Amino acid sequence: MASSCDPSLVHIAMTIDWHYLRGSIAAVHSVLKHTSCPQNLFFHFIASDARLESRDEFERIVQTSFPSLRFEVYVFEESLVGNLISPSIREALDNPLNYARTYLADLLDPCIERVIYLDSDVIVVGDVQELWKVPLTGSRVIGAPEYCYANFTRYFSYEFWSSAEFSEVFEGKRPCYFNTGVMVMDLLRWREGDYTRKIEKWMEIQKERRIYKLGSLPPFLLVFGGDVEAIDHRWNQHGLGGDNVRNSCRTLHPGSVSLLHWSGKGKPWTRLDAKKPCSVDFLWAPYDLYIPSQHKRIATATMHSPF
């Protein structure tokens, strides 16, 4: 297997855990199915250290599902964020693994200077090589689809906006909402700017002052808002899981689609199993490699995977 330091590789990072494993495998399947060059992909899976045996099990499952896939499973120490996480509006958002994206620059080999981060509840229907080639202009550290029509003020509390000490972070900027489930990240600039520590500082303030309610997203908005490389919206058709409180059905936004994202409370595998699917969930189903009759194991991809 080639080293992850091979400069020709396209690097993709995802978290992996038992609750979202089915989604992670489907996401990988979709990437491989639609890319023009699966041979140059390298996946970096981030697992929690909550169960020490999980790393070996995840390696086995991924290897069985995609025998030719280049990948590595890393262990994220939950203690790094255990004392920094504040309760949010939905319990799932408080999972320490949600914060692993903040530590990718430390987890991945220093030779890796760029990575695409993907949530586990996505399906990629475009060629990920195109996303990889998006330039991060100037000194920008991350790129993501921005949504400037969204009410940005609602992501922070009244105390935040009434305090000049806090709100001045956006002075001279035009911050827009962006979803951290799909990002192109320049890890070299991230390391040089010590952005992990900048995000941690906002999490420390949150513990004392309660300036937001939405998990791992607001610290990214605080650090990068107004300085994000805007990527075409087709690379994150988000919100397909409904909002963060209700498991509601939503339709696709108008326009072309390269990535579908079930952000929100509802997940397609849960709704399909409950026989209460939304129409968009049937777009996820063809990438599902799960066979219920096999005692809740992920099916091998011999007959299904394009790789």
Side-chain angles (χ1 to χ4, degrees):
M1 180 176 292
S3 164
S4 62
C5 293
D6 183 341
S8 69
L9 293 174
V10 170
H11 297 279
I12 301 171
M14 305 175 66
T15 58
I16 190 167
D17 66 0
W18 295 111
H19 185 65
Y20 284 88
L21 178 61
R22 189 169 166 188
S24 298
I25 295 295
V28 174
H29 186 192
S30 71
V31 171
L32 296 175
K33 184 176 179 64
H34 295 286
T35 187
S36 56
C37 186
Q39 292 78 14
N40 76 339
L41 301 182
F42 197 106
F43 281 83
H44 305 267
F45 297 102
I46 316 301
S48 168
D49 65 349
R51 284 180 55 184
L52 294 178
E53 73 276 12
S54 293
R55 179 177 180 172
D56 291 341
E57 292 182 52
F58 289 140
E59 286 180 345
R60 178 186 59 77
I61 291 170
V62 174
Q63 181 67 45
T64 303
S65 300
F66 308 104
S68 300
L69 188 70
R70 305 184 195 191
F71 73 94
E72 185 170 348
V73 178
Y74 306 75
V75 175
F76 175 65
E77 297 178 15
E78 290 192 359
S79 61
L80 289 172
V81 294
N83 294 324
L84 294 174
I85 297 175
S86 301
S88 63
I89 62 173
R90 182 159 61 91
E91 186 178 353
L93 298 177
D94 301 335
N95 184 338
L97 204 54
N98 284 334
Y99 295 82
R101 70 198 81 189
T102 303
Y103 296 87
L104 287 176
D106 300 323
L107 287 165
L108 273 55
D109 194 293
C111 69
I112 299 171
E113 299 181 357
R114 183 182 177 94
V115 70
I116 295 171
Y117 175 81
L118 298 177
D119 272 351
S120 297
D121 52 1
V122 306
I123 290 295
V124 179
V125 295
D127 190 343
V128 76
Q129 312 281 340
E130 296 177 21
L131 183 58
W132 177 256
K133 293 175 183 176
V134 170
L136 300 182
T137 58
S139 60
R140 285 175 173 152
V141 180
I142 66 171
E146 288 188 301
Y147 303 90
C148 295
Y149 58 82
N151 181 2
F152 191 81
T153 60
R154 72 185 181 93
Y155 293 99
F156 302 97
S157 68
Y158 173 79
E159 179 176 0
F160 174 87
W161 292 113
S162 61
S163 168
E165 174 192 2
F166 295 150
S167 58
E168 69 179 2
V169 69
F170 296 124
E171 188 174 343
K173 297 180 179 180
R174 184 173 179 255
C176 295
Y177 164 77
F178 63 93
N179 182 285
T180 56
V182 180
M183 295 185 289
V184 178
M185 308 171 70
D186 187 315
L187 298 184
L188 184 61
R189 293 175 185 170
W190 186 291
R191 295 177 184 117
E192 291 174 346
D194 197 12
Y195 283 94
T196 296
R197 183 59 192 146
K198 291 177 181 179
I199 290 175
E200 287 178 335
K201 285 181 179 178
W202 281 112
M203 293 175 68
E204 291 167 359
I205 292 171
Q206 163 71 357
K207 290 286 287 189
E208 298 292 328
R209 304 286 291 271
R210 297 294 295 171
I211 57 175
Y212 56 80
K213 298 180 180 179
L214 202 59
S216 62
L217 169 64
F220 269 81
L221 298 179
L222 288 162
V223 172
F224 297 109
D227 197 22
V228 174
E229 187 71 38
I231 294 176
D232 194 292
H233 287 180
R234 67 189 173 91
W235 282 106
N236 195 349
Q237 281 260 0
H238 68 291
L240 301 182
D243 62 31
N244 279 303
V245 179
R246 294 178 297 112
N247 179 5
S248 53
C249 290
R250 292 186 178 176
T251 56
L252 294 177
H253 309 300
S256 59
V257 182
S258 294
L259 184 147
L260 303 167
H261 188 187
W262 279 261
S263 58
K265 186 176 182 180
K267 302 305 171 190
W269 55 90
T270 302
R271 296 193 298 213
L272 286 163
D273 286 354
K275 305 215 180 329
K276 296 180 180 178
C278 298
S279 58
V280 292
D281 298 341
F282 292 106
L283 299 175
W284 179 89
Y287 303 97
D288 185 16
L289 298 182
Y290 174 77
I291 298 178
S293 62
Q294 294 192 352
H295 306 289
K296 298 186 178 181
R297 293 174 58 190
I298 297 293
T300 59
T302 307
M303 297 177 61
H304 304 279
S305 173
F307 192 45

